[in-house]
Amino acid sequence: MAEPITDRDREQVRRLHAEGKSRNAIARAIGRSAATVSKIAGQEGLTFSGGARVAAATEARRADAAARRELLADESLDGALRQVERVGGSDSARDARDHATAARALTEVHARVSELARQTGTGSTGGSMLDRLADALIGPAGGDREGV
């Protein structure tokens, strides 16, 4: 049978909780089970949500994802520009078409990633470079007279 909870246990839980200790750290420090610490904390109106730590970790993940999206957008645009350069130097119509197709696919990746960055308020828009690339690939305002 478990030992009864003492006033000393309650005081130690309150003090260690105020110091920012986790439930498990408090349990180790006072030599009681985590369940007992949770019971005392509940009776004392204390919580162990880890809110500040969780919020900081979530923000770090968001910042990392934003940086990776920015890198993906930049590399997609760079790749598309390389493909556009290869179109002019192609030996055959098929090679030119393949390079143009690759450039278009990379442009679409850039556009989607840039749009996500705009929607989430992260990263740069890169719109003017994208517009110039689209103009080079398909002509101004989204196409030529043949509807391409």
Side-chain angles (χ1 to χ4, degrees):
M1 184 165 186
E3 294 180 34
I5 297 171
T6 66
D7 289 338
R8 177 172 160 75
D9 292 332
R10 293 178 193 287
E11 186 277 323
Q12 287 180 312
V13 168
R14 284 191 304 268
R15 180 178 51 79
L16 294 169
H17 182 273
E19 292 176 11
K21 303 289 185 193
S22 70
R23 180 190 62 154
N24 291 341
I26 294 171
R28 284 190 297 274
I30 69 172
R32 301 297 296 248
S33 72
T36 299
V37 172
S38 290
K39 182 176 181 178
I40 294 169
Q43 292 169 347
E44 299 292 319
L46 308 173
T47 63
F48 295 102
S49 65
R53 289 189 311 270
V54 171
T58 299
E59 184 54 37
R61 281 193 304 274
R62 283 186 185 137
D64 181 56
R68 291 181 359 204
R69 279 192 301 272
E70 183 85 19
L71 180 62
L72 177 60
D74 289 347
E75 290 191 7
S76 297
L77 190 57
D78 290 345
L81 291 170
R82 284 191 301 273
Q83 291 299 321
V84 168
E85 290 170 1
R86 291 179 179 175
V87 169
S90 297
D91 293 331
S92 69
R94 180 184 173 128
D95 285 347
R97 185 184 69 235
D98 290 346
H99 291 302
T101 300
R104 184 177 199 140
L106 289 163
T107 300
E108 289 173 3
V109 168
H110 179 271
R112 288 181 183 145
V113 172
S114 295
E115 180 59 26
L116 179 59
R118 279 190 291 279
Q119 289 173 356
T120 61
T122 60
S124 65
T125 59
S128 62
M129 286 182 71
L130 180 60
D131 291 340
R132 287 194 306 271
L133 179 58
D135 288 348
L137 289 173
I138 57 177
D144 59 18
R145 285 180 224 153
E146 297 175 28
V148 178

